[in-house]
Amino acid sequence: MTRHPVLPDGWRLVALESVGSTNDEAMKMADAGAAEGTVVWARQQTGGRGRRGRRWVSPVGNLYSSTVLRPDCPAPRAAELGFVSALAVADIVPPGRAVRLKWPNDVLVDGGKVAGILLESAVDQSGLVQHVITGIGVNVAFAPELPEMRYPGAVLGGSVEDALEGLAESLAKRLIQWRRDGFPAVREAWLAKAGPLGATVDVRLGEELVRGRFSGLDGEGALLLETESGPRRIVSGELLGRAA
Ligand code: BTN
């Protein structure tokens, strides 16, 4: 039984059967002036994209949605919306299941990756963000196996419609929190659901592999590590351990 999902007041749903990538569609709409809260949702994607140029296998059954955001902030702050989005996904995980946020934007449930987030921004000449697309893929019905996946997949359960409604509602609330209280509040909420401080993690930075103890997030969302050779601040990389 399928039904039309209901989104928060003022939000708009663009529902598609099939599309290459909902992020591309949402970016086109945002470039043409679509308002914050425009959500592009497709039952399947034929060219779903993940981070680091990976593909995101997207058959019917899981959730693929991309939301237009207009944060009106300088470009370096756009990355904060990845943490806002990850918290919004964590909010829809049923109670009783173990949620863990993994830097920068993954959501693990019971040790498996249940959702991935692809944030893409358009920045104007003065360095202000024009719009950000937060593309969120949630394994609702099944976890596609991919050779490049470093984690087992996990499944949220329930229906795609319920997941989309819950996600839009929690994203709207988390955006209010971000605008009202700023990144410090988001960072604190994110850290409360991340791996324990002090846990040893490995981070891949291109060819380099850095091992250190997770010591938090800085005010810009960079990963902080205590390594044998001293503190390291990591802006972009891939966390290989399960902690953090
Ligand atoms: C990751 O690599 O973990 C991020 C995956 C993001 C997938 C979502 S599905 C909806 C949106 N459209 C895309 O093409 N990608 C994102």
Side-chain angles (χ1 to χ4, degrees):
M1 187 61 175
T2 60
R3 62 187 180 77
H4 200 70
V6 178
L7 299 193
D9 282 350
W11 285 43
R12 173 183 165 221
L13 180 62
V14 178
L16 305 170
E17 276 309 311
S18 179
V19 73
S21 158
T22 54
N23 261 37
D24 294 345
E25 212 51 38
M27 186 60 86
K28 271 190 248 159
M29 296 183 69
D31 287 341
E36 172 157 307
T38 302
V39 179
V40 178
W41 166 49
R43 294 226 173 246
Q44 65 174 353
Q45 298 183 115
T46 52
R49 295 187 287 110
R51 295 176 62 239
R52 311 193 155 266
R54 295 192 178 126
R55 70 203 161 104
W56 188 258
V57 174
S58 310
V60 174
N62 287 337
L63 175 64
Y64 317 107
S65 73
S66 299
T67 303
V68 176
L69 306 177
R70 295 197 176 272
D72 200 19
C73 67
R77 289 199 58 201
E80 296 174 13
L81 295 166
F83 299 92
V84 170
S85 302
L87 281 167
V89 175
D91 291 341
I92 65 168
V93 175
R97 301 194 58 194
V99 187
R100 177 164 287 185
L101 299 179
K102 176 179 156 280
W103 186 85
N105 295 157
D106 285 342
V107 183
L108 310 186
V109 170
D110 300 332
K113 177 163 166 166
V114 82
I117 295 166
L118 180 64
L119 211 64
E120 296 182 307
S121 317
V123 177
D124 70 17
Q125 284 177 340
S126 65
L128 272 185
V129 173
Q130 280 181 317
H131 43 262
V132 171
I133 307 302
T134 179
I136 304 181
V138 181
N139 295 338
V140 173
F142 49 82
E145 289 295 328
L146 287 178
E148 66 267 28
M149 266 187 77
R150 298 180 188 282
Y151 294 92
V155 167
L156 185 70
S159 73
V160 174
E161 290 84 354
D162 286 348
L164 178 58
E165 281 182 355
L167 183 61
E169 193 187 328
S170 56
L171 185 57
K173 286 187 184 151
R174 290 289 181 181
L175 284 165
I176 290 171
Q177 178 189 40
W178 178 72
R179 287 197 164 100
R180 189 189 54 213
D181 305 330
F183 188 58
V186 171
R187 177 171 160 266
E188 197 180 314
W190 188 92
L191 282 169
K193 293 179 194 291
L197 294 178
T200 299
V201 297
D202 290 326
V203 182
R204 187 184 298 287
L205 305 171
E207 294 299 296
E208 189 192 4
L209 197 65
V210 179
R211 172 161 294 182
R213 289 182 184 278
F214 173 49
S215 60
L217 278 188
D218 75 3
E220 289 164 4
L223 180 71
L224 301 177
L225 292 185
E226 281 300 330
T227 71
E228 279 188 347
S229 49
R232 284 275 301 251
R233 174 180 185 271
I234 295 173
V235 179
S236 164
E238 188 176 15
L239 196 77
L240 304 178
R242 244 174 237 183

